Amino acid sequence: MEVPETDKFTAPGILNKVPAKRMVSRFPDSGSVDEALRELLSHWGDMLSVLTLAFSDEKVSRMVNLWNPYQCMVTYNFSRSASYFESGIGRGIGFRDSNQDLIGFVHMAPELARQRILDLAATQFEDGGAYHQYQPLTKRGNDAIGGNFNDDPLWLILGVSAYLKETGEWPILDEMVPFDNDLANQGTLFEHLKRSFYHVVNNLGEHGLPLIGRADWNDCLNLNCFSTNPDESYQTTENREGGRAESVFIAGMFVIYGEEFARICDILGKQDEAGKARTLIREMVAAVDEHGWDGEWFLRAYDHFGRKVGSAENEEGQIFIEPQGFCIMAGIGVEDGRAERALRSVAERLACEYGIVLNNPPYSGYQLHLGEISSYPEGYKENAGVFCHNNPWIMIAETVVGNGNRAFDYYRRICPAYLEEISDLHKTEPYVYSQMVAGKDAWIPGEAKNSWLTGTAAWNYYAITQFILGIRPDFDGLSIDPCVPEDWERFRVSRRFRGAEYRIAVENPDGVSKGVRQILLNGELLEGTVLPVLEPGTVNEVEVLMG
């Protein structure tokens, strides 16, 4: 309970207890407490029943129905701000973090997602960049923890797109939102999305790939930093002037979320805007094809001097997880077989018993031109640890190429419900995701740390529900596109979507991983695989036959 500054004391040295007593008075007896608990049960029951899974494997059902969405709501409430789980005055509501968190809770609390989107957009700059965090009490950007992370703007397109697909509430794009919380300088939310898109276009390097800035998603890959002072933070230290480092990871992001932006433009009737965006997206794909492919996997980046990072030419850090996930999710290399080659390299070089490590081989000593990533011991954190947040990107990439067996195998490796038997090693709670698990090169592989507040929660929920189970909201309906292990015979999903209930029964008699032979909607054969938006309050039976 936060008491206003002017009301904190009733007399010098005497705290104002009136608000606390008012709260206590709400529960004068056991009956009022029981009623409050019933209300709490109803609250969570309503949220957790938006999507429910009935499946023979109790562990995956438990995660999908209870613990994973619950953790997603915790990450909404706290983001990465100071709490029982995170500490330090530098913690806050992350621009990158919270836009990703949205994909895990927007279906349960769309009204909260809407406000979070507007709050985040209000911390964006005129050029499309953004504060890396804002403070939860003031909702104002906090530049004390650093900025110029060039992946940040694109995550806003992900968050808004997820909200539009879930709710169909297009008027949000007309909301006037300030830049840098300056009410004298505002633009529509759509204008904010446009500036997010063009922030990448306006910050390209010599290979036509996006400039990385201070860093991209991997805060510890500091290619323009060159820090020699152990007392300074990589997040805030001055970068070398004229930073030239480029990110193949952001290039993959740009292709995915650029297409989302173009689709939004299409629906709004802005065909010219959509056409320009798609031309720029094709140019980015061409840049990745020419400069981002290393022969067996996608490069990670080019450093400040134009040298390859994440290449077979390097002695250490030859392959990284992030571009393999995002470039394949973007469809790059899918038609010509490069995607499958990259995923084979992931399986051979990065995957281990406890998940998929971030890079391989690990860095064995500090490298000035790489930054913080090379300061960690081998197998920990960003230096070849299993950074669980990005494992779902590979799960989703496997579904893109139709490999449900491997997608679910990777899901199991980091899913808490499947780790109960090794709790003595794993250390963290066997019902919530952790940020990191020590990788295969660590002193104690399999030991986890930093549970609860991690983007792992949202991305794993997104991967299992929308790409493995394949129940995926889209702008015009609910797409049905499962990609499951071949030995899955059947499963059932109940999904509330825009006020209607869809009871979806999936049968897999031929033991395939991917492919839908037919869908019956309320007994009628459906053309295509997208369930239309139906009347609110209706209950609809959906029969899906894979094959």
Side-chain angles (χ1 to χ4, degrees):
M1 175 183 297
E2 185 68 24
V3 179
E5 187 71 30
T6 56
D7 297 331
K8 288 187 181 294
F9 299 92
T10 56
I14 300 176
L15 289 172
N16 179 6
K17 303 180 184 66
V18 172
K21 290 178 178 177
R22 189 182 304 126
M23 179 183 287
V24 171
S25 70
R26 292 168 52 200
F27 308 103
D29 52 43
S30 61
S32 58
V33 173
D34 291 340
E35 179 58 30
L37 289 172
R38 282 191 291 270
E39 290 177 8
L40 182 63
L41 181 63
S42 175
H43 167 78
W44 280 107
D46 184 59
M47 283 206 296
L48 297 176
S49 63
V50 175
L51 186 153
T52 58
L53 169 67
F55 183 52
S56 56
D57 186 333
E58 182 271 336
K59 291 182 177 179
V60 68
S61 298
R62 186 198 324 159
M63 290 304 299
V64 169
N65 294 337
L66 176 59
W67 285 112
N68 198 173
Y70 179 75
Q71 186 178 0
C72 288
M73 287 308 303
V74 172
T75 61
Y76 156 73
N77 282 312
F78 289 101
S79 186
R80 310 301 177 269
S81 58
S83 62
Y84 288 122
F85 316 110
E86 298 283 357
S87 62
I89 60 174
R91 309 306 299 172
I93 307 293
F95 193 93
R96 169 201 299 151
D97 297 325
S98 293
N99 274 301
Q100 292 175 86
D101 290 343
L102 273 158
I103 63 177
F105 78 86
V106 63
H107 64 297
M108 294 186 287
E111 69 288 348
L112 298 179
R114 188 183 201 277
Q115 187 58 54
R116 178 58 52 86
I117 286 169
L118 297 176
D119 290 342
L120 288 165
T123 67
Q124 193 174 24
F125 302 127
E126 284 188 89
D127 70 352
Y131 286 101
H132 198 48
Q133 289 184 2
Y134 72 80
Q135 291 304 310
L137 296 181
T138 66
K139 295 189 179 180
R140 291 189 173 273
N142 176 17
D143 59 3
I145 54 81
N148 194 30
F149 297 87
N150 280 354
D151 64 310
D152 276 348
L154 289 173
W155 296 116
L156 182 65
I157 300 177
L158 166 66
V160 173
S161 172
Y163 176 79
L164 292 172
K165 289 176 180 179
E166 183 64 38
T167 65
E169 197 253 299
W170 290 87
I172 190 175
L173 295 177
D174 296 323
E175 289 271 357
M176 296 300 293
V177 184
F179 292 99
D180 195 5
N181 276 290
D182 180 2
L183 294 176
N185 183 16
Q186 302 189 69
T188 64
L189 181 59
F190 175 81
E191 180 64 25
H192 281 258
L193 296 185
K194 182 176 177 180
R195 297 197 191 190
S196 292
F197 178 84
Y198 281 97
H199 185 272
V200 175
V201 177
N202 295 330
N203 289 277
L204 299 179
E206 60 192 77
H207 298 94
L209 298 166
L211 293 173
I212 198 170
R214 180 175 298 279
D216 57 22
W217 174 88
N218 188 339
D219 290 327
C220 298
L221 188 62
N222 313 115
L223 302 180
N224 294 310
C225 182
F226 301 94
S227 175
T228 57
N229 180 359
D231 293 326
E232 68 183 2
S233 168
Y234 291 92
Q235 309 296 307
T236 56
T237 186
E238 287 296 319
N239 280 342
R240 182 170 291 185
E241 201 169 316
R244 298 169 51 204
E246 299 167 90
S247 169
V248 177
F249 165 76
I250 298 179
M253 279 187 73
F254 180 78
V255 175
I256 297 172
Y257 302 131
E259 178 57 27
E260 291 293 287
F261 173 69
R263 292 183 68 199
I264 289 169
C265 291
D266 285 335
I267 294 170
L268 295 176
K270 300 178 183 289
Q271 271 71 39
D272 288 348
E273 194 73 66
K276 291 176 187 175
R278 289 193 171 102
T279 296
L280 294 164
I281 292 166
R282 286 192 293 271
E283 291 175 2
M284 187 67 74
V285 172
V288 174
D289 286 340
E290 183 175 358
H291 301 293
W293 177 251
D294 196 54
E296 293 298 326
W297 54 77
F298 292 97
L299 284 173
R300 180 59 177 85
Y302 285 89
D303 70 12
H304 183 82
F305 306 103
R307 301 175 304 199
K308 295 177 181 178
V309 178
S311 167
E313 299 172 11
N314 305 132
E315 284 188 30
E316 298 174 331
Q318 295 174 338
I319 178 174
F320 281 71
I321 187 174
E322 305 102 306
Q324 318 316 321
F326 259 80
C327 288
I328 296 168
M329 286 161 62
I332 303 173
V334 172
E335 293 185 359
D336 61 16
R338 285 179 298 152
E340 292 191 2
R341 285 161 65 188
L343 289 170
R344 198 158 50 242
S345 297
V346 169
E348 293 169 357
R349 300 286 302 272
L350 300 178
C352 70
E353 179 182 356
Y354 304 108
I356 309 168
V357 301
L358 194 143
N359 59 294
N360 177 262
Y363 296 107
S364 57
Y366 184 56
Q367 299 192 32
L368 188 65
H369 67 291
L370 297 174
E372 188 173 1
I373 186 173
S374 61
S375 71
Y376 289 115
E378 295 99 313
Y380 291 95
K381 291 285 284 182
E382 282 83 353
N383 188 18
V386 177
F387 217 86
C388 299
H389 184 136
N390 53 39
N391 276 223
W393 302 345
I394 300 298
M395 299 172 203
I396 296 170
E398 290 287 1
T399 71
V400 170
V401 301
N403 194 338
N405 292 327
R406 192 178 281 163
F408 189 69
D409 176 36
Y410 289 148
Y411 174 82
R412 285 174 55 106
R413 294 190 198 194
I414 65 167
C415 179
Y418 293 96
L419 304 176
E420 291 175 271
E421 290 76 13
I422 61 166
S423 288
D424 287 347
L425 167 65
H426 195 66
K427 303 295 187 187
T428 58
E429 303 92 328
Y431 44 85
V432 291
Y433 286 98
S434 297
Q435 177 206 66
M436 194 278 292
V437 177
K440 57 185 177 179
D441 301 289
W443 180 251
I444 305 177
E447 188 174 26
K449 68 188 293 287
N450 290 27
S451 59
W452 286 101
L453 296 187
T454 165
T456 308
W459 273 104
N460 271 278
Y461 189 79
Y462 188 65
I464 185 67
T465 60
Q466 297 199 25
F467 292 90
I468 296 176
L469 300 178
I471 313 301
R472 189 157 60 244
D474 210 336
F475 295 123
D476 57 353
L478 202 56
S479 174
I480 307 298
D481 184 25
C483 186
V484 298
E486 293 168 347
D487 61 1
W488 280 27
E489 296 179 355
R490 64 183 57 84
F491 63 89
R492 306 282 185 272
V493 172
S494 174
R495 179 64 156 90
R496 291 205 307 272
F497 179 66
R498 301 192 196 176
E501 183 177 347
Y502 298 79
R503 295 177 176 172
I504 304 164
V506 179
E507 297 286 338
N508 186 20
D510 298 332
V512 301
S513 269
K514 194 175 178 75
V516 172
R517 188 186 308 168
Q518 74 169 32
I519 297 177
L520 297 179
L521 174 58
N522 294 325
E524 300 289 330
L525 186 64
L526 180 74
E527 287 189 25
T529 57
V530 178
L531 303 176
V533 178
L534 297 172
E535 192 70 25
T538 59
V539 177
N540 304 278
E541 302 295 333
V542 182
E543 301 168 65
V544 179
L545 184 64
M546 296 183 67

